[in-house]
Amino acid sequence: MRLHRLQLPRFGHFSDFKLDLDGAGFHVILGRNEAGKSTLVEAWLNLLYGIPTRTSYAFLHPRDTLEIRAVVDDGAGEVALTRTPQRSNNLLDADGAPVPPAVLEAMLRGVPEDAYRALYGLNDDTIEKGGDDILASKGDL
């Protein structure tokens, strides 16, 4: 699955934010501290796996109004998705119709959230933890 666009109408400190990742290649997102890089990663993960009941990203916008949108390519074409914090039917297609969880699970090829975070959710904390784990292994990797 390839991310083409991530939109944060209401999430964390973002309002009506759009990140366009069209084009081939490898994208690197740079920004000063507190610019929102970790918020972007968390928004992506919340789009994929759901917005937690207790989220620290509902400080500017109330939790029940949070919204994350993305356009992804699932290998068969582009798919527009919207995630809301509702208890059910919280993943929607471009027309606002509910998307069954199995559709996104198939795109993720069954990778659970903790494994996805470990593989693709690198940030300062996970890099430091990885370094600590390597040191604690005493050469037994």
Side-chain angles (χ1 to χ4, degrees):
M1 172 174 28
R2 180 179 178 88
L3 175 63
H4 287 283
R5 188 174 311 116
L6 182 65
Q7 292 177 261
L8 305 179
R10 291 173 301 283
F11 189 83
H13 70 275
F14 289 109
S15 298
D16 298 320
F17 178 81
K18 182 173 128 180
L19 177 66
D20 193 353
L21 299 171
D22 278 340
F26 184 77
H27 299 280
V28 176
I29 299 172
L30 299 172
R32 64 186 192 289
N33 289 345
E34 301 301 318
K37 300 176 301 291
S38 295
T39 302
L40 290 173
V41 171
E42 195 63 29
W44 171 243
L45 291 167
N46 282 200
L47 177 99
L48 296 177
Y49 295 100
I51 300 171
T53 302
R54 294 181 180 260
T55 179
S56 59
Y57 292 93
F59 53 86
L60 179 60
H61 307 286
R63 182 186 179 280
D64 62 335
T65 68
L66 297 181
E67 184 177 341
I68 307 160
R69 296 179 184 174
V71 175
V72 300
D73 188 329
D74 67 353
E78 288 190 356
V79 178
L81 298 170
T82 298
R83 176 72 76 178
T84 64
Q86 281 62 43
R87 289 188 186 269
S88 62
N89 296 327
N90 57 24
L91 185 63
L92 309 171
D93 66 14
D95 297 321
V99 174
V103 171
L104 195 51
E105 289 168 10
M107 287 185 205
L108 290 166
R109 292 174 169 55
V111 175
E113 183 176 1
D114 57 342
Y116 194 99
R117 282 181 183 273
L119 291 169
Y120 306 113
L122 292 179
N123 61 32
D124 186 51
D125 292 335
T126 58
I127 291 170
E128 283 185 33
K129 183 181 180 322
D132 290 343
D133 291 347
I134 290 170
L135 289 173
S137 70
K138 297 184 180 183
D140 185 19
L141 298 177

